[in-house]
Amino acid sequence: MALSLRRKQLDVIVRMLHLNQQQLPNGGEGQGEEEAYKLLVMDQPCVNLLSPVLKVADLRRHGVTLTLGIDRPRQAVPDAPAVYLVRPTPSNVDRIAADAAAGLYSSFHVNFSTSVPRPVLERLATACAAAPAACAGRVARVADQYIDFVCLEEGLFSLAQPRAYVALNDPAAADADITSLVDAVALGLFCVFATLGVVPVIRCARGGPAEMVAAALDARLRDHLLAKPNLFTEAASAAVASFQRPVLCLFDRNFELSVGVQHDWSYRPLVHDVLGLKLNKLKLPAEKYELDDSDKFWVTNSWSPFPKVAEEIEAQLAKYKQDVDEVNQRTGGGSGVEFDGTDLIGNTRHLMNAVNSLPELTERKKMIDKHTNIATALLGHIKERSLDGYCDCENDMLVNGTVDRNTLLNLLRGKGTKEDKLRLAVTYLLSFETPPSSELEQVEAALRESEVDMSAFQYVKRIKALNTQFAAASGTATKSNIVDWAEKLYGQSLSAVTAGVKNLLSDGRQLALTRTVEALMEGKPNPEVDDYLLFDPRAPRSGTAGQFKGPFREAVVFMIGGGNYIEYRSLMELEQRTQPSKHVIYGATEILSGAEFIHQLAELGQKAGLGGGSSNIPSGAAQ
């Protein structure tokens, strides 16, 4: 049983668009609704979750003639039903109640993207009850759909919760704010597993946001499973029959910081990082493109190094020109004409073949032009910012554990944006456990020469110093002093920054994340994961007897604080190389580029008073 998150989310959305009637493949119930037109009213978060899975043509095929924003003025269409898909917020239910009171549509089919809190539901009921009876009666259905996540492709999703890393590591964050965010992440993950119809076994490291989210999700799943029937009842028999449940591996972004900031040379991460790919859509100055699984070139080449992509575009263009020339020759449109008027049947066949090949040739030309434009835009940035140099230098540090000092300093003083230089410097800091002090001073001086804000660099330097000092401390009193200082400086992030310096440092070609996920899926004794916590919502709360630790064939890997395409690719490679085959879905609170994540590190550095070149490290701490 392969987990099919995107397909299952799409099934829920399609059923919702058909007014929550079950769609049968050969007609039957719900068939008449396909012919009725309807309106779709959404708030912006739901627009974002819908756009990667359904295009305008798909919506029309399901009877949606108009898509409208709930927060914008709308004209009445009194003879058409309206499907609402919104988050359960007080402002949204107030708008729905006002629309019903005004009689904008013939019937209202209200769908909340996630579980609606009781006060919000009561607010809607009270407002509708106060309206005229005819208007209140138009609310035909209110449903929780549990689809409040953005599924970018079959194996990749985001909870679209921005700046979670900052919120969780802000030294000034209140306990209530932390708890609220943890609950929101747990609810988002609950939606993911409710859509999949499976209850996971949860694994996470001790301490920090990962354990907090694991405990909150475990409690939410346990409470829900008490009800009979529940969202997981239908899938329970299938799960028992296959003796398989997925493992949910929860990680905090501090587990492996370097991956969040490094540059990458593959096509997809480059398009995301450099050109700003969002929700599978790309905006260039003159064009807008969609990059998803409907684009065969993107599917085939998006993980290839950029030079190979450029070569493939040239090869595709040459093949296209060859096929066009062949069509022209056969139809008498070019040199070397083969069109013979005496062979009427043969010539007619050539013309028919040419006509039939035109749509395919046109689509190929569109695809070639699209990726030629994208590659040209990328090439401009690569040359302007020397991105190939940044990638090579970071690769040497992270993979080979070496650095050419002159190359490093020339990059920091040369081409590239300030974010590029800061990312390189942070990668340098995380690649070596104890870099030479003279070299570190030169790196900091080069950053200041380039007028780079040092907040992010100082923040990571401080976290690393704290980890090193904590790991080296042998006496309880020494550790206690470090903890007291860390609590004052970092607040809620204490448990994260003391997770161990080994997690901050890259470990060869395989990411620490991928290595840990593989160990958790194998379920064998392993010193790296033996102390990981296990939560099983289906098991009794007391004791650990009977808890299943693997092996697992399926996993959902979730990064709290922001994920990226580099980790996603690494997990896909894990799928491909393991036997028997494993299936992994990767998700995060948000999908971040290196530049976006470095800005969050800088914000935390500023909040901690670490801007510029100042140093507040306690006496005796490593520099």
Side-chain angles (χ1 to χ4, degrees):
M1 178 193 71
L3 300 176
S4 303
L5 183 60
R6 191 173 187 270
R7 179 179 60 78
K8 291 197 173 186
Q9 186 191 43
L10 180 58
D11 289 344
V12 174
I13 293 171
V14 168
R15 186 171 64 247
M16 176 198 74
L17 293 178
H18 291 276
L19 311 184
N20 289 294
Q21 297 189 27
Q22 189 66 39
Q23 295 303 296
L24 302 180
N26 297 317
E29 186 180 357
Q31 184 178 11
E33 299 295 345
E34 294 182 14
E35 301 173 358
Y37 69 89
K38 60 188 78 74
L39 294 86
L40 178 60
V41 182
M42 296 183 288
D43 58 6
Q44 191 57 48
C46 290
V47 171
N48 293 343
L49 76 84
L50 193 73
S51 63
V53 294
L54 279 177
K55 300 178 181 178
V56 173
D58 300 321
L59 289 172
R60 287 176 180 164
R61 192 170 68 251
H62 294 295
V64 176
T65 56
L66 278 176
T67 304
L68 305 167
I70 192 171
D71 55 350
R72 295 185 179 180
R74 286 168 280 122
Q75 295 182 341
V77 188
D79 58 343
V83 175
Y84 283 76
L85 177 61
V86 295
R87 281 186 168 177
T89 64
S91 59
N92 281 341
V93 299
D94 288 347
R95 293 301 297 265
I96 293 169
D99 292 348
L104 290 187
Y105 314 114
S106 63
S107 60
F108 292 72
H109 300 262
V110 181
N111 300 272
F112 293 110
S113 60
T114 186
S115 175
V116 55
R118 187 173 184 84
V120 175
L121 189 60
E122 291 175 348
R123 186 185 184 113
L124 176 62
T126 302
C128 289
C135 296
R138 291 193 175 98
V139 180
R141 182 185 176 98
V142 178
D144 299 337
Q145 297 294 359
Y146 296 100
I147 53 172
D148 198 13
F149 54 91
V150 179
C151 203
L152 297 170
E153 50 190 83
E154 196 60 68
L156 178 65
F157 73 93
S158 163
L159 296 188
Q161 295 173 344
R163 300 179 69 258
Y165 184 80
V166 172
L168 289 168
N169 293 278
D170 185 353
D175 288 347
D177 295 334
I178 297 291
T179 301
S180 176
L181 177 57
V182 167
D183 288 342
V185 174
L187 179 57
L189 287 171
F190 180 88
C191 289
V192 169
F193 287 101
T195 301
L196 289 171
V198 292
V199 178
V201 174
I202 306 169
R203 300 298 304 272
C204 68
R206 296 179 184 273
E211 182 180 351
M212 296 168 69
V213 170
L217 178 60
D218 177 66
R220 184 177 285 275
L221 285 167
R222 286 180 181 275
D223 290 344
H224 182 77
L225 289 172
L226 292 175
K228 303 292 182 183
N230 55 59
L231 293 170
F232 304 98
T233 302
E234 294 181 6
S237 57
V240 170
S242 66
F243 295 101
Q244 277 296 321
R245 288 165 60 195
V247 59
L248 168 62
C249 307
L250 290 173
F251 296 92
D252 170 29
R253 182 68 272 164
N254 284 320
F255 178 80
E256 198 170 15
L257 272 181
S258 60
V259 186
V261 298
Q262 73 184 80
H263 295 82
D264 195 81
W265 197 227
S266 301
Y267 191 36
R268 186 184 302 212
L270 269 175
V271 171
H272 178 240
D273 189 4
V274 176
L275 301 181
L277 177 69
K278 292 291 182 186
L279 298 173
N280 296 341
K281 292 178 174 59
L282 179 65
K283 281 186 180 181
L284 295 181
E287 297 286 347
K288 294 180 182 179
Y289 298 117
E290 291 194 5
L291 295 170
D292 53 28
D293 54 11
S294 65
D295 185 332
K296 293 181 180 178
F297 185 92
W298 177 253
V299 171
T300 305
N301 298 283
S302 64
W303 298 115
S304 299
F306 178 70
K308 288 188 177 180
V309 173
E311 292 174 4
E312 183 62 25
I313 292 173
E314 290 184 5
Q316 295 268 5
L317 181 59
K319 181 69 167 60
Y320 167 79
K321 289 180 177 178
Q322 178 183 343
D323 291 347
V324 169
D325 288 342
E326 185 177 335
V327 170
N328 286 337
Q329 289 175 5
R330 289 183 177 181
T331 57
S335 59
V337 178
E338 297 180 2
F339 189 91
D340 184 357
T342 60
D343 184 5
L344 185 58
I345 296 177
N347 292 332
T348 302
R349 186 180 298 113
H350 285 317
L351 286 172
M352 290 287 291
N353 290 337
V355 170
N356 292 334
S357 66
L358 282 176
E360 189 263 342
L361 287 172
T362 302
E363 286 302 312
R364 281 171 58 188
K365 184 63 166 62
K366 284 182 181 178
M367 178 272 294
I368 293 168
D369 289 345
K370 168 182 175 179
H371 288 281
T372 299
N373 292 339
I374 295 172
T376 302
L378 277 178
L379 188 60
H381 284 277
I382 289 169
K383 289 182 175 179
E384 183 181 349
R385 295 161 56 182
S386 293
L387 291 179
D388 50 340
Y390 282 94
C391 291
D392 288 342
C393 187
E394 290 173 2
N395 187 68
D396 284 341
M397 292 188 290
L398 292 168
V399 176
N400 303 323
T402 60
V403 62
D404 184 287
R405 181 184 300 189
N406 291 331
T407 301
L408 174 64
L409 296 177
N410 288 339
L411 284 168
L412 293 175
R413 294 190 177 105
K415 294 180 180 180
T417 65
K418 293 180 179 180
E419 289 85 358
D420 289 330
K421 296 173 183 180
L422 193 53
R423 290 164 64 183
L424 177 63
V426 169
T427 302
Y428 165 78
L429 196 60
L430 295 173
S431 298
F432 305 100
E433 189 166 353
T434 54
S437 57
S438 60
E439 194 170 84
L440 189 58
E441 289 171 3
Q442 287 180 304
V443 168
E444 294 186 16
L447 288 174
R448 284 191 287 269
E449 284 179 30
S450 298
E451 299 180 345
V452 174
D453 185 340
M454 300 284 286
S455 301
F457 185 84
Q458 295 292 352
Y459 179 75
V460 175
K461 184 179 177 182
R462 188 64 52 81
I463 290 179
K464 185 182 172 186
L466 176 62
N467 274 277
T468 304
Q469 194 177 21
F470 190 82
S474 56
T476 305
T478 307
K479 285 190 176 183
S480 178
N481 292 338
I482 298 171
V483 169
D484 290 342
W485 167 75
E487 285 178 341
K488 291 177 183 176
L489 179 61
Y490 291 104
Q492 293 292 336
S493 69
L494 169 66
S495 53
V497 300
T498 57
V501 71
K502 65 178 181 180
N503 290 333
L504 288 172
L505 303 176
S506 176
D507 183 25
R509 292 184 178 275
Q510 188 178 25
L511 300 183
L513 174 75
T514 308
R515 189 179 65 249
T516 305
V517 169
E518 187 172 12
L520 289 170
M521 293 186 76
E522 286 178 352
K524 298 177 182 177
N526 188 316
E528 289 197 22
V529 298
D530 284 345
D531 63 341
Y532 271 50
L533 297 173
L534 187 149
F535 296 82
D536 187 349
R538 289 197 180 276
R541 286 185 183 273
S542 59
T544 59
Q547 289 185 340
F548 182 64
K549 293 188 176 181
F552 297 94
R553 289 185 299 183
E554 298 170 326
V556 176
V557 179
F558 188 79
M559 184 61 71
I560 303 163
N564 51 72
Y565 282 105
I566 299 173
E567 289 175 336
Y568 177 44
R569 178 188 60 202
S570 182
L571 291 169
M572 291 176 65
E573 291 170 350
L574 171 65
E575 278 188 336
Q576 295 165 4
R577 73 168 182 269
T578 53
Q579 292 296 332
S581 62
K582 292 176 168 45
H583 181 59
V584 181
I585 293 175
Y586 177 67
T589 46
E590 59 180 326
I591 304 299
L592 291 171
S593 67
E596 290 169 335
F597 184 57
I598 206 74
H599 281 299
Q600 294 196 22
L601 290 172
E603 184 177 346
L604 286 170
Q606 292 161 4
K607 286 176 179 289
L610 298 175
S614 62
S615 179
N616 299 316
I617 300 176
S619 58
Q623 296 291 320

